[in-house]
Amino acid sequence: MKEIQSIGVYCSSSVRVESVYIKAALELGEALAEHHITMIYGGGAQGLMGKAADAAMAHGGRVVGFMPHHLKEFEDPNWAITEMHMVDTMHTRKRLMFEHSDAFFILPGGFGTLDETFELITWGQLQLHEKPIVFINVNHYWDPLEALTKNIFEQHFAKPEDRNCFKFVRSVPEAFQALLKAPEPPSPEPMVEWV
Ligand code: AMP
């Protein structure tokens, strides 16, 4: 996994989710630190994202956050991470998170998580990148989305080869294993099967 130096983590900003999700966020933060992989994320202090960042820091990891100034009204910046960058807009944040990440892990989240993740997937469809996108399907949270994506492909609303843009796994360890099978970014070749 040595080519993956940083992973963008997208997940819930909610503090009200069940403990099974918090446990997974803590596990992910710790695992990133153990693998010496920098965690790139939105820079918030709360929710699953804050838990993952704090766990990575607590285990000696490196965490970089990008937060738009205006978001301070809604979310507390996490000043306890390695680098906290305040940026001008949401679009700048998305771009910087994308550019700084070699792969993406998607823990359970809400509409913000989906917005950011679908942009990554559609950029993959358009071959703007070949970075692995892995949904970590903790507690079957993403089952309805996995079923929807299956339906999209079965009914030909997406090209079969676009299945390779993302995958679903059941746990944090499986997400790291999935990276071992993923294409090495950047590659000039068309995307290959890695499921
Ligand atoms: P949520 O999954 O709704 O809890 O949101 C997770 C994160 O997504 C939050 O930190 C939000 O700041 C962020 N977010 C929400 N909407 C957007 C958006 N349109 N673009 C980029 N980030 C967003």
Side-chain angles (χ1 to χ4, degrees):
M1 209 189 301
K2 68 177 175 9
E3 72 276 7
I4 301 285
Q5 296 181 336
S6 59
I7 293 180
V9 175
Y10 297 84
C11 58
S12 175
S13 57
S14 172
V15 292
R16 301 177 58 198
V17 298
E18 287 180 27
S19 60
V20 64
Y21 301 115
I22 294 169
K23 196 166 160 251
L26 296 172
E27 185 184 358
L28 176 57
E30 181 175 348
L32 287 167
E34 279 172 3
H35 286 290
H36 304 289
I37 292 174
T38 298
M39 173 177 164
I40 307 294
Y41 86 118
Q46 63 274 75
L48 297 186
M49 53 191 191
K51 295 288 184 192
D54 290 346
M57 292 302 296
H59 289 85
R62 183 166 179 270
V63 180
V64 178
F66 297 99
M67 180 179 283
H69 290 287
H70 90 276
L71 213 63
K72 280 187 291 188
E73 287 176 38
F74 307 99
E75 296 178 10
D76 296 326
N78 189 347
W79 297 112
I81 59 177
T82 315
E83 291 178 25
M84 180 73 214
H85 300 275
M86 300 307 293
V87 302
D88 52 358
T89 65
M90 288 295 232
H91 286 106
T92 303
R93 169 207 244 184
K94 281 181 170 178
R95 179 177 58 78
L96 289 169
M97 286 180 67
F98 169 74
E99 287 175 359
H100 283 78
S101 302
D102 296 327
F104 306 98
F105 282 175
I106 321 299
L107 278 175
F111 298 114
T113 302
L114 286 173
D115 174 88
E116 294 172 310
T117 305
F118 276 108
E119 186 167 78
L120 296 171
I121 290 173
T122 54
W123 286 358
Q125 278 187 318
L126 298 173
Q127 300 192 0
L128 294 173
H129 73 90
E130 294 182 358
K131 300 179 182 185
I133 301 167
V134 182
F135 286 91
I136 307 179
N137 192 6
V138 177
N139 196 33
H140 298 278
Y141 178 79
W142 290 122
D143 279 2
L145 180 66
E146 189 170 12
L148 174 62
T149 60
K150 197 161 170 260
N151 195 38
I152 288 171
F153 288 114
E154 281 176 0
Q155 301 209 34
H156 310 292
F157 283 94
K159 297 195 290 293
E161 59 267 31
D162 292 339
R163 286 179 191 272
N164 298 324
C165 291
F166 59 91
K167 75 174 301 182
F168 290 85
V169 300
R170 291 258 173 249
S171 66
V172 168
E174 280 181 46
F176 286 93
Q177 285 162 20
L179 292 183
L180 297 173
K181 298 180 188 170
E184 287 188 19
S187 162
E189 302 299 323
M191 281 184 284
V192 294
E193 179 72 29
W194 60 283
V195 287

